[in-house]
Amino acid sequence: MVIDEEVSRALNELAQSTNVIGPVVVDNHINYVIRGLADTVEQFTNLSWCLLGFVGRIFETDMSIDSAIGEGTTATNNLLNTLENRLKTNQELTLAQKERMRDPLIQELISHVLLLIHQRQEKMPDWLGTITAISQPHLSVNNQGIDLIAIGLFQNNPIPIIGEVKAKEKDPWGGLNDACEKFTQTKDGEYDDEIRSALKDISRHSEPSFTKEQLANNIWRERSHFGALVGHDCQYGTNGTGHIDVDFSSNRQEILKQDPERLFFISSPFESMRDLFDNLTKELVLRAKSLSD
């Protein structure tokens, strides 16, 4: 079994099955709700392969697939080593350790999968446009930088895409507010060097791209589309239906500081985020081992 082929197949199938509600324009932000990522056995397995692709660093900046982890037993050993180092799959984690160490990483990987899905189906056009390049996700939960940096094209003009990822089992709107704290810091210039470096790097794979003058003038402060990608249980932050209220507009303090036309709330509600992330962690190990069967 070759990981490149499995991930490519899984990603195409997941792109077909994922359902996106939105964009829904409300007072203080623009909402998307993502369903169909892991609602069936097939979706769950496909999502696992896609996450494993990011763990193995087989996705290039231009979103092509190129594996450098080997095949068979070599690939299995490389992936298992990374899973043990990053997700602590060889340890029994406490709830606090999962919330602090594991869940943010899994949600960040899921959020990057959403960009790959959009690349194939353009399911979130108002936020991402035609996406041409993305930065690699962090594999360290201790990284305090920007979670997601990409380039989207709108009427053939490049726009910086800045994303902040939160795993908030019981508080999706708190996740949006927390993400907006990072967006405020970004507009205040606290991450200029990181964003400039990332955009300069991934611009090599985007045509057209940003000029040196645009990067020097910190184009992201005035033109970026900011996306808060929040994973949570569907029963929270609802209108009593058991699903996120796509028409709800939050007026928490940090949210009100943002430009509502450039702030996107991308909600991925799960029946149980805790159960899903526990099962995904186990499935990643099984998928890695299957490469040497």
Side-chain angles (χ1 to χ4, degrees):
M1 187 178 294
V2 180
I3 189 171
D4 308 54
E5 297 172 358
E6 287 300 312
V7 171
S8 180
R9 175 202 56 76
L11 185 55
N12 287 332
E13 291 184 7
L14 198 60
Q16 291 291 335
S17 68
T18 301
N19 179 39
V20 178
I21 303 168
V24 176
V25 179
V26 295
D27 290 341
N28 299 321
H29 41 84
I30 300 168
N31 297 335
Y32 284 102
V33 175
I34 314 296
R35 302 307 300 260
L37 283 173
D39 294 342
T40 67
V41 173
E42 291 78 12
Q43 290 168 352
F44 173 80
T45 302
N46 287 334
L47 178 61
S48 299
W49 276 117
C50 294
L51 299 186
L52 201 62
F54 276 117
V55 170
R57 295 298 199 198
I58 76 168
F59 292 113
E60 299 293 304
T61 299
D62 64 357
M63 294 166 287
S64 61
I65 296 177
D66 183 16
S67 175
I69 61 171
E71 296 184 10
T73 302
T74 300
T76 292
N77 290 339
N78 285 331
L79 288 168
L80 290 178
N81 181 65
T82 301
L83 290 170
E84 290 174 3
N85 288 335
R86 304 303 184 178
L87 289 174
K88 310 303 179 187
T89 53
N90 57 337
Q91 302 177 25
E92 287 291 332
L93 300 181
T94 65
L95 177 59
Q97 287 174 321
K98 291 176 182 178
E99 292 176 341
R100 185 179 71 255
M101 299 168 50
R102 187 199 66 180
D103 295 355
L105 175 54
I106 292 179
Q107 185 62 30
E108 182 169 341
L109 297 177
I110 289 173
S111 296
H112 276 75
V113 171
L114 289 177
L115 268 66
L116 298 179
I117 289 173
H118 174 81
Q119 182 205 21
R120 285 156 174 75
Q121 295 282 330
E122 296 212 349
K123 293 176 180 278
M124 294 174 282
D126 284 37
W127 177 42
L128 296 172
T130 299
I131 191 168
T132 62
I134 62 173
S135 61
Q136 289 283 356
H138 302 133
L139 290 184
S140 173
V141 295
N142 296 320
N143 192 306
Q144 298 300 310
I146 302 297
D147 291 334
L148 186 155
I149 300 173
I151 299 174
L153 298 183
F154 293 81
Q155 298 180 340
N156 214 36
N157 294 313
I159 297 291
I161 307 297
I162 306 296
E164 184 67 10
V165 181
K166 300 294 179 184
K168 288 283 188 176
E169 183 180 6
K170 300 179 181 180
D171 188 14
W173 303 112
L176 173 60
N177 192 69
D178 290 349
C180 286
E181 291 183 9
K182 182 68 73 68
F183 299 151
T184 298
Q185 294 169 352
T186 298
K187 290 188 290 187
D188 288 343
E190 293 190 30
Y191 297 95
D192 282 354
D193 54 347
E194 176 188 351
I195 296 173
R196 187 180 301 109
S197 176
L199 288 177
K200 181 180 178 182
D201 182 54
I202 67 176
S203 286
R204 301 168 188 168
H205 304 277
S206 177
E207 183 62 40
S209 192
F210 303 109
T211 66
K212 292 182 179 180
E213 290 75 17
Q214 287 174 317
L215 294 177
N217 291 330
N218 310 315
I219 183 176
W220 47 91
R221 295 196 204 172
E222 300 299 327
R223 293 187 59 191
S224 270
H225 288 183
F226 293 97
L229 302 104
V230 183
H232 60 92
D233 282 5
C234 62
Q235 71 187 89
Y236 295 99
T238 70
N239 58 4
T241 64
H243 297 284
I244 196 74
D245 185 356
V246 72
D247 297 308
F248 180 80
S249 181
S250 177
N251 59 1
R252 297 194 187 188
Q253 181 178 0
E254 287 295 330
I255 296 169
L256 295 178
K257 295 179 182 179
Q258 315 305 316
D259 178 353
E261 294 183 357
R262 295 194 292 136
L263 175 62
F264 294 81
F265 173 50
I266 300 92
S267 159
S268 52
F270 306 113
E271 292 302 319
S272 170
M273 193 189 80
R274 176 72 46 237
D275 289 346
L276 174 63
F277 286 12
D278 283 346
N279 291 331
L280 278 172
T281 302
K282 297 173 185 176
E283 186 70 11
L284 288 172
V285 173
L286 293 176
R287 292 302 104 205
K289 290 181 177 178
S290 72
L291 292 171
S292 57
D293 290 345

